[in-house]
Amino acid sequence: MTLSFKTLAIALGTLSTASSVIALQNGVGKLPVMGYNAWNVFQCNVNESLIIQTAQYMKEYGLLDVGYKYINLDDCWAMKNRSSTGEVVSDTTRFPDMKNLTDQLHALGFYAGIYSDSGWFTCAGYPGSFMHEEQDALTFQFWGFDFLKYDNCAIPFDGVISEGIVGKYQRMTDALATVAEKTGTTFVFSLCEWGWNQVWLWGASMGHSWRIDGDIGPYWSSIARIINSVSFITQATNYYGRNDPDMLEIGNGDLTYEEAKTHFTAWALMKAPLLIGTNLATISSEMLSILKNTEIIAINQDPVYGTSISPFRWGINPDWTSNASFPAQYWSGQSQNGTLIMLINTIDEPADMFFNLTESPWIRAGRQYTVRDLWTHTSNGTAVRNFTAKNVAPHGVAALLLQDGGDEPVGLMPPCAGEAATQCMAENGTKYY
């Protein structure tokens, strides 16, 4: 099993800055996690055989090869009661030997993830880790797990916990740091706090990622709601931690192919964890192709730029408008290979989507840009000052990579483009506005 400074790579307050820098150089935990979580499809109906079969599908379908390396358990894996000495115990029928499970996953080339809760119980009523943090962390380490998703149900009374939500999560952060010191093994630590307490402000001091909204559903209104929530906090994402908009519903429920593309594009370009929540035994080849878009995955896993794309214009609504049904439509960001543009058509009919290049802060004035479509994998020509994505599907997306193509043609008027045109002036004072 590969050991890494996963939790510790997130600049934990319990470790020195020097240790954090070394941890980031290790590489694991620096980039968003990619993998699988069984909850959205199977919920409590999971067992060792299903998890191993899922891992085998991941290999067979080439998902491991394109970067999906984590197979994570969610709730319901435990017995309802702890042992007489306080240890959490895996279900003796469904998960009779957790060490055997993680050994099998590691042998297949995956990391293994497990789930617990910061309260008395998990959300499904199994033992939580409150007041057992170090004991549970040592158990998870002994079993061979590499990842811990940590939920927020069954919160102890204020008089018991005597601290806020930050302190409740800090307890496990400290426990994981102690286990790392004792054993040399660390975890990717994923906080599932749902954003109620502005977790994006403090989550980077504790974990790899933090949930920013309620549970996702396999329908467009849920995807739109979460994109709206993320649009206001994109600045929180970088190599030290990232907003987690929940699992990928590609192939589930009522999502159309175009909606699924939008879902995947937004999650990937926001630099969110990419955790598949689909029944791989029944997924269509069309939906599988979305999950395997290596040009989109390369943006998510960019080792040079770790920040999220952000809106540069809301579109239908005035800028900074919160609208769960019609979120921000025009987004941009940096990548090692050029400027990213994401255009989301939030209405129910096809639409042309126009923007001035310099609306993105990452575009240089006076330059022209070649345009690559990250879904058709083709060139869309050269953009000079502006670009229109034609006929974007209802609830669909255009994902574009703009690369500098040299000076724009001479003689264009006005001599300043976009917003600069309102203050355009020559050196001699001549106004062009």
Side-chain angles (χ1 to χ4, degrees):
M1 177 175 62
T2 301
L3 300 182
S4 64
F5 288 82
K6 301 164 191 164
T7 301
L8 312 185
I10 318 301
L12 294 179
T14 52
L15 299 180
S16 69
T17 301
S19 296
S20 297
V21 171
I22 293 170
L24 285 171
Q25 291 173 349
N26 177 278
V28 179
K30 175 181 177 180
L31 299 175
V33 161
M34 296 175 61
Y36 186 90
N37 184 295
W39 178 259
N40 286 18
V41 175
F42 300 106
Q43 297 187 347
C44 287
N45 299 312
V46 290
N47 55 48
E48 179 178 311
S49 297
L50 184 144
I51 297 301
I52 296 301
Q53 179 63 72
T54 297
Q56 291 169 342
Y57 283 134
M58 296 279 283
K59 283 184 70 90
E60 178 185 343
Y61 296 159
L63 291 164
L64 175 62
D65 292 338
V66 298
Y68 295 93
K69 297 180 179 178
Y70 286 78
I71 305 292
N72 297 340
L73 300 180
D74 210 282
D75 210 339
C76 308
W77 56 264
M79 298 294 287
K80 287 284 188 173
N81 297 303
R82 291 178 175 270
S83 72
S84 60
T85 53
E87 282 86 8
V88 65
V89 179
S90 64
D91 187 287
T92 55
T93 300
R94 294 182 293 113
F95 294 98
D97 188 340
M98 283 296 204
K99 186 66 170 64
N100 178 61
L101 173 63
T102 62
D103 284 347
Q104 291 183 77
L105 292 175
H106 293 146
L108 288 167
F110 294 97
Y111 296 109
I114 198 164
Y115 166 99
S116 190
D117 192 283
S118 57
W120 297 117
F121 303 101
T122 70
C123 298
Y126 294 81
S129 289
F130 183 67
M131 298 186 73
H132 290 272
E133 289 86 0
E134 187 176 335
Q135 186 177 34
D136 287 356
L138 282 167
T139 297
F140 302 153
Q141 182 274 332
F142 176 76
W143 284 341
F145 284 99
D146 311 284
F147 177 105
L148 175 60
K149 175 181 174 180
Y150 207 52
D151 221 332
N152 190 34
C153 287
I155 298 172
F157 295 158
D158 293 349
V160 174
I161 199 168
S162 298
E163 55 197 5
I165 196 75
V166 177
K168 186 160 73 84
Y169 279 86
Q170 185 70 50
R171 294 170 67 97
M172 182 54 84
T173 297
D174 293 345
L176 294 173
T178 299
V179 170
E181 292 173 358
K182 289 180 177 180
T183 68
T185 304
T186 55
F187 290 74
V188 170
F189 188 32
S190 177
L191 284 62
C192 190
E193 192 272 334
W194 319 318
W196 288 359
N197 289 273
Q198 297 184 309
V199 63
W200 51 90
L201 296 177
W202 51 269
S205 68
M206 298 187 191
H208 166 274
S209 56
W210 45 84
R211 280 280 300 280
I212 54 85
D213 207 317
D215 289 350
I216 194 171
Y219 37 85
W220 173 249
S221 61
S222 179
I223 305 302
R225 182 200 82 230
I226 293 172
I227 291 173
N228 177 64
S229 295
V230 176
S231 67
F232 299 98
I233 56 172
T234 58
Q235 70 278 7
T237 286
N238 54 41
Y239 287 136
Y240 294 92
R242 50 204 52 81
N243 294 316
D244 177 5
D246 206 2
M247 289 170 276
L248 295 170
E249 291 278 15
I250 310 300
N252 289 340
D254 297 326
L255 282 181
T256 68
Y257 175 69
E258 295 296 337
E259 291 169 345
K261 282 171 53 183
T262 303
H263 174 20
F264 186 71
T265 302
W267 267 233
L269 273 57
M270 290 171 185
K271 305 298 178 72
L274 299 179
L275 292 172
I276 300 167
T278 304
N279 186 346
L280 293 179
T282 59
I283 191 171
S284 69
S285 59
E286 186 179 53
M287 292 297 181
L288 189 61
S289 71
I290 293 175
L291 294 169
K292 294 177 66 177
N293 184 331
T294 54
E295 289 196 70
I296 298 291
I297 290 171
I299 304 302
N300 182 259
Q301 298 291 301
D302 191 328
V304 178
Y305 289 95
T307 51
S308 168
I309 57 168
S310 298
F312 61 81
R313 175 160 39 105
W314 259 246
I316 290 176
N317 296 301
D319 289 351
W320 304 105
T321 298
S322 178
N323 188 321
S325 299
F326 299 96
Q329 296 180 278
Y330 295 82
W331 303 61
S332 71
Q334 295 173 288
S335 82
Q336 62 178 322
N337 294 316
T339 298
L340 300 165
I341 300 291
M342 180 177 74
L343 311 174
I344 302 174
N345 179 12
T346 59
I347 64 177
D348 297 334
E349 58 187 40
D352 293 345
M353 302 189 69
F354 169 91
F355 65 98
N356 292 311
L357 299 189
T358 53
E359 287 186 81
S360 165
W362 314 117
I363 290 292
R364 296 169 59 193
R367 310 289 287 180
Q368 59 186 340
Y369 285 81
T370 62
V371 182
R372 180 166 180 81
D373 189 311
L374 300 180
W375 279 107
T376 63
H377 311 295
T378 59
S379 171
N380 274 16
T382 300
V384 179
R385 295 200 169 185
N386 57 64
F387 185 82
T388 300
K390 297 285 190 179
N391 202 37
V392 181
H395 304 167
V397 70
L400 309 172
L401 181 67
L402 274 59
Q403 296 178 305
D404 194 311
D407 291 334
E408 66 180 23
V410 298
L412 294 181
M413 293 299 291
C416 301
E419 297 82 358
T422 63
Q423 290 293 325
C424 191
M425 182 180 290
E427 186 178 5
N428 65 6
T430 301
K431 298 178 181 179
Y432 288 87
Y433 56 92

